[in-house]
Amino acid sequence: MTSPLCPPAVPAGHPASVPATGAEPFIGLDATVLDFWRFGMSDLRTNTLRGYLAEFLVARAVGGDRPRVEWDPFDVLTPEGIKVEVKATGFVQAWTQLKPRESRTWTIGQTVPYDTAGKPCGPRGFQADVYVFAVHTARTNDEYNALDVNQWKFYVLSAPQVMSLPRDRNDRACATLLRVQERTESVIYTELAVTVGQAATRQ
């Protein structure tokens, strides 16, 4: 759970961001933020944007309403103070594939938490309470719809379960889809909030 001694917040020296509406104009350019989003963030099959989308879906599912913070040691904070790390993948990629890639692998690194003054406030380790592995299940571009939550499966592990995973030479936890499936069953989107809450209490 969130510690009052080490709250998630904007580190010292970083101004708090204000969510954009898309209507904000560039200065010296006939374009808006929405034009930029269309240019750089339209293909939700790309690995980077699929990861952001998965974080958004999880945040909405658990009732988290804070904007994404790039430098936080976890991705989503629930109203109850549960820290959630989200890992995403899919079988269909943005580039041409001869066939869907079946192997799924995630590495989960350990980090040092920082307080609002930008100083370390805890030991290096796995900072989230719960880890959500979001898998987009479409296997062809024709059926792929990133906005259909029914095309996603979610696997939820507690922090102790992630700590039990094999480690690489950098002491990162190595999660494959098979290892995750051995530890838990998938849930659909409407079951995600309850499952995250249950995992937070699982040892």
Side-chain angles (χ1 to χ4, degrees):
M1 300 296 181
T2 301
S3 166
L5 299 179
C6 191
V10 177
H14 291 273
S17 62
V18 177
T21 67
E24 294 82 358
F26 282 79
I27 298 173
L29 174 66
D30 182 19
T32 66
V33 170
L34 179 59
D35 294 319
F36 163 65
W37 288 342
R38 286 171 174 162
F39 169 80
M41 304 180 184
S42 290
D43 191 349
L44 299 180
R45 294 172 302 169
T46 63
N47 288 328
T48 297
L49 292 183
R50 180 159 44 205
Y52 290 171
L53 176 58
E55 293 175 20
F56 172 78
L57 293 177
V58 173
R60 283 301 178 98
V62 302
D65 59 0
R66 68 173 193 148
R68 185 179 187 276
V69 180
E70 183 73 22
W71 47 82
D72 262 2
F74 53 88
D75 299 316
V76 174
L77 184 67
T78 74
E80 297 77 24
I82 300 170
K83 296 174 290 186
V84 184
E85 179 79 9
V86 182
K87 299 294 183 182
T89 192
F91 297 100
V92 174
Q93 303 294 325
W95 57 85
T96 302
Q97 297 170 274
L98 296 178
K99 61 180 180 178
R101 189 177 63 180
E102 296 297 329
S103 62
R104 309 284 90 190
T105 303
W106 301 272
T107 55
I108 305 170
Q110 300 183 59
T111 60
V112 175
Y114 288 82
D115 61 20
T116 55
K119 297 180 180 179
C121 62
R124 180 176 179 272
F126 299 102
Q127 303 301 329
D129 304 307
V130 174
Y131 293 78
V132 175
F133 299 86
V135 181
H136 197 278
T137 61
R139 292 176 178 270
T140 68
N141 282 301
D142 288 341
E143 67 176 316
Y144 193 103
N145 184 353
L147 304 182
D148 183 356
V149 297
N150 295 312
Q151 291 191 2
W152 292 84
K153 285 185 177 180
F154 302 89
Y155 299 85
V156 183
L157 296 184
S158 66
Q161 287 177 303
V162 167
M163 293 176 192
S164 73
L165 291 167
R167 307 286 182 87
D168 65 11
R169 65 178 63 185
N170 295 314
D171 205 25
R172 298 177 300 183
C174 299
T176 63
L177 182 55
L178 179 59
R179 288 169 183 163
V180 171
Q181 290 172 330
E182 289 173 346
R183 288 162 171 80
T184 191
E185 295 182 354
S186 67
V187 298
I188 60 177
Y189 187 70
T190 55
E191 300 169 335
L192 188 52
V194 170
T195 307
V196 167
Q198 293 171 340
T201 63
R202 190 185 308 148
Q203 299 300 315

mmCIF file of all heavy atoms in Angstrom, residues 73 83-87 108-109 125-133 155-163 180 196 199:
data_model
loop_
_atom_site.group_PDB
_atom_site.id
_atom_site.type_symbol
_atom_site.label_atom_id
_atom_site.label_comp_id
_atom_site.label_asym_id
_atom_site.label_seq_id
_atom_site.Cartn_x
_atom_site.Cartn_y
_atom_site.Cartn_z
ATOM 1 N N PRO A 73 7.486 4.740 -9.977
ATOM 2 C CA PRO A 73 7.953 3.358 -9.936
ATOM 3 C C PRO A 73 6.829 2.346 -10.142
ATOM 4 O O PRO A 73 7.058 1.146 -10.039
ATOM 5 C CB PRO A 73 8.561 3.235 -8.532
ATOM 6 C CG PRO A 73 7.799 4.219 -7.713
ATOM 7 C CD PRO A 73 7.511 5.366 -8.634
ATOM 8 N N LYS A 83 -0.761 -0.071 -5.312
ATOM 9 C CA LYS A 83 0.140 0.304 -6.406
ATOM 10 C C LYS A 83 0.173 -0.830 -7.428
ATOM 11 O O LYS A 83 0.452 -1.978 -7.077
ATOM 12 C CB LYS A 83 1.544 0.581 -5.856
ATOM 13 C CG LYS A 83 1.591 1.772 -4.909
ATOM 14 C CD LYS A 83 2.957 1.934 -4.269
ATOM 15 C CE LYS A 83 3.239 0.826 -3.273
ATOM 16 N NZ LYS A 83 4.509 1.026 -2.532
ATOM 17 N N VAL A 84 -0.104 -0.488 -8.677
ATOM 18 C CA VAL A 84 -0.250 -1.493 -9.729
ATOM 19 C C VAL A 84 0.748 -1.233 -10.847
ATOM 20 O O VAL A 84 0.855 -0.104 -11.350
ATOM 21 C CB VAL A 84 -1.684 -1.482 -10.315
ATOM 22 C CG1 VAL A 84 -1.845 -2.600 -11.347
ATOM 23 C CG2 VAL A 84 -2.727 -1.620 -9.202
ATOM 24 N N GLU A 85 1.467 -2.253 -11.223
ATOM 25 C CA GLU A 85 2.346 -2.211 -12.394
ATOM 26 C C GLU A 85 1.641 -2.962 -13.522
ATOM 27 O O GLU A 85 1.104 -4.052 -13.316
ATOM 28 C CB GLU A 85 3.688 -2.863 -12.083
ATOM 29 C CG GLU A 85 4.667 -2.885 -13.231
ATOM 30 C CD GLU A 85 5.376 -1.561 -13.455
ATOM 31 O OE1 GLU A 85 5.224 -0.655 -12.605
ATOM 32 O OE2 GLU A 85 6.077 -1.424 -14.472
ATOM 33 N N VAL A 86 1.638 -2.379 -14.724
ATOM 34 C CA VAL A 86 0.940 -2.977 -15.860
ATOM 35 C C VAL A 86 1.959 -3.358 -16.933
ATOM 36 O O VAL A 86 2.796 -2.543 -17.326
ATOM 37 C CB VAL A 86 -0.092 -2.001 -16.449
ATOM 38 C CG1 VAL A 86 -0.839 -2.661 -17.613
ATOM 39 C CG2 VAL A 86 -1.073 -1.536 -15.373
ATOM 40 N N LYS A 87 1.857 -4.595 -17.401
ATOM 41 C CA LYS A 87 2.677 -5.077 -18.502
ATOM 42 C C LYS A 87 1.745 -5.517 -19.620
ATOM 43 O O LYS A 87 0.773 -6.226 -19.367
ATOM 44 C CB LYS A 87 3.554 -6.256 -18.057
ATOM 45 C CG LYS A 87 4.530 -5.922 -16.941
ATOM 46 C CD LYS A 87 5.580 -4.921 -17.393
ATOM 47 C CE LYS A 87 6.597 -4.629 -16.304
ATOM 48 N NZ LYS A 87 7.594 -3.623 -16.718
ATOM 49 N N ILE A 108 10.811 -7.572 -15.306
ATOM 50 C CA ILE A 108 10.337 -6.620 -14.297
ATOM 51 C C ILE A 108 11.518 -6.231 -13.426
ATOM 52 O O ILE A 108 12.031 -7.031 -12.646
ATOM 53 C CB ILE A 108 9.219 -7.249 -13.440
ATOM 54 C CG1 ILE A 108 8.098 -7.763 -14.357
ATOM 55 C CG2 ILE A 108 8.680 -6.231 -12.441
ATOM 56 C CD1 ILE A 108 7.074 -8.597 -13.643
ATOM 57 N N GLY A 109 11.954 -5.002 -13.593
ATOM 58 C CA GLY A 109 13.122 -4.541 -12.867
ATOM 59 C C GLY A 109 12.792 -4.041 -11.470
ATOM 60 O O GLY A 109 11.638 -3.771 -11.136
ATOM 61 N N GLY A 125 13.844 -2.448 -4.891
ATOM 62 C CA GLY A 125 13.033 -3.657 -4.927
ATOM 63 C C GLY A 125 11.895 -3.520 -5.908
ATOM 64 O O GLY A 125 11.862 -2.606 -6.745
ATOM 65 N N PHE A 126 10.954 -4.430 -5.812
ATOM 66 C CA PHE A 126 9.751 -4.384 -6.635
ATOM 67 C C PHE A 126 8.748 -3.467 -5.934
ATOM 68 O O PHE A 126 8.297 -3.758 -4.833
ATOM 69 C CB PHE A 126 9.183 -5.783 -6.827
ATOM 70 C CG PHE A 126 10.144 -6.725 -7.528
ATOM 71 C CD1 PHE A 126 10.876 -7.664 -6.817
ATOM 72 C CD2 PHE A 126 10.317 -6.654 -8.902
ATOM 73 C CE1 PHE A 126 11.761 -8.521 -7.450
ATOM 74 C CE2 PHE A 126 11.207 -7.507 -9.555
ATOM 75 C CZ PHE A 126 11.930 -8.433 -8.821
ATOM 76 N N GLN A 127 8.386 -2.364 -6.565
ATOM 77 C CA GLN A 127 7.662 -1.297 -5.878
ATOM 78 C C GLN A 127 6.146 -1.452 -5.894
ATOM 79 O O GLN A 127 5.457 -0.831 -5.091
ATOM 80 C CB GLN A 127 8.043 0.054 -6.490
ATOM 81 C CG GLN A 127 9.523 0.354 -6.458
ATOM 82 C CD GLN A 127 10.096 0.371 -5.046
ATOM 83 O OE1 GLN A 127 9.407 0.719 -4.094
ATOM 84 N NE2 GLN A 127 11.355 -0.018 -4.902
ATOM 85 N N ALA A 128 5.599 -2.250 -6.799
ATOM 86 C CA ALA A 128 4.145 -2.379 -6.893
ATOM 87 C C ALA A 128 3.638 -3.454 -5.931
ATOM 88 O O ALA A 128 4.360 -4.364 -5.529
ATOM 89 C CB ALA A 128 3.731 -2.713 -8.320
ATOM 90 N N ASP A 129 2.362 -3.328 -5.582
ATOM 91 C CA ASP A 129 1.690 -4.347 -4.769
ATOM 92 C C ASP A 129 1.096 -5.441 -5.641
ATOM 93 O O ASP A 129 0.976 -6.592 -5.218
ATOM 94 C CB ASP A 129 0.564 -3.712 -3.941
ATOM 95 C CG ASP A 129 1.046 -2.571 -3.072
ATOM 96 O OD1 ASP A 129 2.003 -2.786 -2.305
ATOM 97 O OD2 ASP A 129 0.485 -1.460 -3.161
ATOM 98 N N VAL A 130 0.711 -5.063 -6.853
ATOM 99 C CA VAL A 130 0.030 -5.967 -7.775
ATOM 100 C C VAL A 130 0.569 -5.737 -9.178
ATOM 101 O O VAL A 130 0.879 -4.598 -9.562
ATOM 102 C CB VAL A 130 -1.499 -5.718 -7.757
ATOM 103 C CG1 VAL A 130 -2.211 -6.550 -8.811
ATOM 104 C CG2 VAL A 130 -2.082 -6.027 -6.376
ATOM 105 N N TYR A 131 0.667 -6.813 -9.945
ATOM 106 C CA TYR A 131 1.156 -6.745 -11.321
ATOM 107 C C TYR A 131 0.084 -7.303 -12.247
ATOM 108 O O TYR A 131 -0.388 -8.424 -12.055
ATOM 109 C CB TYR A 131 2.462 -7.524 -11.472
ATOM 110 C CG TYR A 131 3.595 -6.879 -10.705
ATOM 111 C CD1 TYR A 131 3.698 -7.033 -9.325
ATOM 112 C CD2 TYR A 131 4.536 -6.083 -11.345
ATOM 113 C CE1 TYR A 131 4.720 -6.417 -8.598
ATOM 114 C CE2 TYR A 131 5.564 -5.471 -10.642
ATOM 115 C CZ TYR A 131 5.639 -5.643 -9.264
ATOM 116 O OH TYR A 131 6.644 -5.028 -8.550
ATOM 117 N N VAL A 132 -0.310 -6.492 -13.234
ATOM 118 C CA VAL A 132 -1.328 -6.902 -14.200
ATOM 119 C C VAL A 132 -0.654 -7.111 -15.552
ATOM 120 O O VAL A 132 -0.007 -6.208 -16.085
ATOM 121 C CB VAL A 132 -2.436 -5.845 -14.332
ATOM 122 C CG1 VAL A 132 -3.422 -6.241 -15.438
ATOM 123 C CG2 VAL A 132 -3.171 -5.669 -13.010
ATOM 124 N N PHE A 133 -0.812 -8.312 -16.095
ATOM 125 C CA PHE A 133 -0.279 -8.649 -17.414
ATOM 126 C C PHE A 133 -1.456 -8.647 -18.384
ATOM 127 O O PHE A 133 -2.334 -9.516 -18.315
ATOM 128 C CB PHE A 133 0.416 -10.012 -17.378
ATOM 129 C CG PHE A 133 1.573 -10.056 -16.426
ATOM 130 C CD1 PHE A 133 1.374 -10.342 -15.073
ATOM 131 C CD2 PHE A 133 2.863 -9.787 -16.857
ATOM 132 C CE1 PHE A 133 2.437 -10.367 -14.179
ATOM 133 C CE2 PHE A 133 3.930 -9.808 -15.976
ATOM 134 C CZ PHE A 133 3.720 -10.093 -14.626
ATOM 135 N N TYR A 155 -4.075 -11.044 -16.567
ATOM 136 C CA TYR A 155 -3.540 -11.967 -15.565
ATOM 137 C C TYR A 155 -2.989 -11.120 -14.425
ATOM 138 O O TYR A 155 -2.192 -10.212 -14.655
ATOM 139 C CB TYR A 155 -2.432 -12.835 -16.157
ATOM 140 C CG TYR A 155 -2.883 -13.703 -17.310
ATOM 141 C CD1 TYR A 155 -2.921 -13.203 -18.611
ATOM 142 C CD2 TYR A 155 -3.274 -15.026 -17.101
ATOM 143 C CE1 TYR A 155 -3.332 -13.996 -19.675
ATOM 144 C CE2 TYR A 155 -3.686 -15.829 -18.165
ATOM 145 C CZ TYR A 155 -3.713 -15.309 -19.444
ATOM 146 O OH TYR A 155 -4.124 -16.097 -20.498
ATOM 147 N N VAL A 156 -3.409 -11.406 -13.207
ATOM 148 C CA VAL A 156 -3.073 -10.563 -12.061
ATOM 149 C C VAL A 156 -2.252 -11.366 -11.062
ATOM 150 O O VAL A 156 -2.701 -12.402 -10.565
ATOM 151 C CB VAL A 156 -4.347 -10.020 -11.382
ATOM 152 C CG1 VAL A 156 -3.974 -9.090 -10.232
ATOM 153 C CG2 VAL A 156 -5.224 -9.288 -12.400
ATOM 154 N N LEU A 157 -1.050 -10.881 -10.771
ATOM 155 C CA LEU A 157 -0.176 -11.517 -9.785
ATOM 156 C C LEU A 157 0.098 -10.555 -8.642
ATOM 157 O O LEU A 157 0.199 -9.343 -8.845
ATOM 158 C CB LEU A 157 1.157 -11.938 -10.413
ATOM 159 C CG LEU A 157 1.137 -13.001 -11.508
ATOM 160 C CD1 LEU A 157 2.559 -13.347 -11.925
ATOM 161 C CD2 LEU A 157 0.391 -14.252 -11.065
ATOM 162 N N SER A 158 0.247 -11.100 -7.451
ATOM 163 C CA SER A 158 0.653 -10.301 -6.300
ATOM 164 C C SER A 158 2.157 -10.067 -6.356
ATOM 165 O O SER A 158 2.891 -10.757 -7.084
ATOM 166 C CB SER A 158 0.296 -11.032 -5.008
ATOM 167 O OG SER A 158 1.060 -12.230 -4.894
ATOM 168 N N ALA A 159 2.638 -9.125 -5.568
ATOM 169 C CA ALA A 159 4.075 -8.872 -5.503
ATOM 170 C C ALA A 159 4.862 -10.110 -5.081
ATOM 171 O O ALA A 159 5.896 -10.422 -5.683
ATOM 172 C CB ALA A 159 4.362 -7.699 -4.570
ATOM 173 N N PRO A 160 4.413 -10.866 -4.048
ATOM 174 C CA PRO A 160 5.156 -12.079 -3.696
ATOM 175 C C PRO A 160 5.229 -13.083 -4.845
ATOM 176 O O PRO A 160 6.250 -13.779 -5.006
ATOM 177 C CB PRO A 160 4.370 -12.637 -2.504
ATOM 178 C CG PRO A 160 3.739 -11.436 -1.880
ATOM 179 C CD PRO A 160 3.372 -10.560 -3.043
ATOM 180 N N GLN A 161 4.180 -13.201 -5.650
ATOM 181 C CA GLN A 161 4.223 -14.113 -6.781
ATOM 182 C C GLN A 161 5.243 -13.663 -7.819
ATOM 183 O O GLN A 161 5.943 -14.485 -8.403
ATOM 184 C CB GLN A 161 2.831 -14.219 -7.416
ATOM 185 C CG GLN A 161 1.831 -15.006 -6.594
ATOM 186 C CD GLN A 161 0.451 -15.029 -7.225
ATOM 187 O OE1 GLN A 161 -0.143 -13.973 -7.481
ATOM 188 N NE2 GLN A 161 -0.053 -16.211 -7.501
ATOM 189 N N VAL A 162 5.333 -12.354 -8.045
ATOM 190 C CA VAL A 162 6.328 -11.841 -8.982
ATOM 191 C C VAL A 162 7.736 -12.063 -8.440
ATOM 192 O O VAL A 162 8.653 -12.427 -9.175
ATOM 193 C CB VAL A 162 6.070 -10.350 -9.263
ATOM 194 C CG1 VAL A 162 7.262 -9.701 -9.969
ATOM 195 C CG2 VAL A 162 4.812 -10.182 -10.098
ATOM 196 N N MET A 163 7.903 -11.879 -7.140
ATOM 197 C CA MET A 163 9.225 -12.096 -6.531
ATOM 198 C C MET A 163 9.671 -13.553 -6.653
ATOM 199 O O MET A 163 10.865 -13.842 -6.613
ATOM 200 C CB MET A 163 9.191 -11.684 -5.065
ATOM 201 C CG MET A 163 8.997 -10.199 -4.839
ATOM 202 S SD MET A 163 8.858 -9.810 -3.075
ATOM 203 C CE MET A 163 8.288 -8.106 -3.152
ATOM 204 N N VAL A 180 3.239 -17.021 -16.051
ATOM 205 C CA VAL A 180 2.123 -16.282 -15.467
ATOM 206 C C VAL A 180 0.880 -17.156 -15.413
ATOM 207 O O VAL A 180 0.165 -17.201 -14.401
ATOM 208 C CB VAL A 180 1.864 -14.995 -16.279
ATOM 209 C CG1 VAL A 180 0.568 -14.324 -15.831
ATOM 210 C CG2 VAL A 180 3.032 -14.027 -16.124
ATOM 211 N N VAL A 196 -7.744 -7.365 -8.720
ATOM 212 C CA VAL A 196 -6.617 -6.550 -8.228
ATOM 213 C C VAL A 196 -6.715 -6.402 -6.727
ATOM 214 O O VAL A 196 -5.721 -6.538 -6.000
ATOM 215 C CB VAL A 196 -6.601 -5.183 -8.926
ATOM 216 C CG1 VAL A 196 -5.650 -4.220 -8.206
ATOM 217 C CG2 VAL A 196 -6.173 -5.331 -10.379
ATOM 218 N N ALA A 199 -5.682 -9.666 -5.110
ATOM 219 C CA ALA A 199 -4.250 -9.935 -5.232
ATOM 220 C C ALA A 199 -3.433 -9.103 -4.251
ATOM 221 O O ALA A 199 -2.362 -9.537 -3.806
ATOM 222 C CB ALA A 199 -3.791 -9.671 -6.664
#
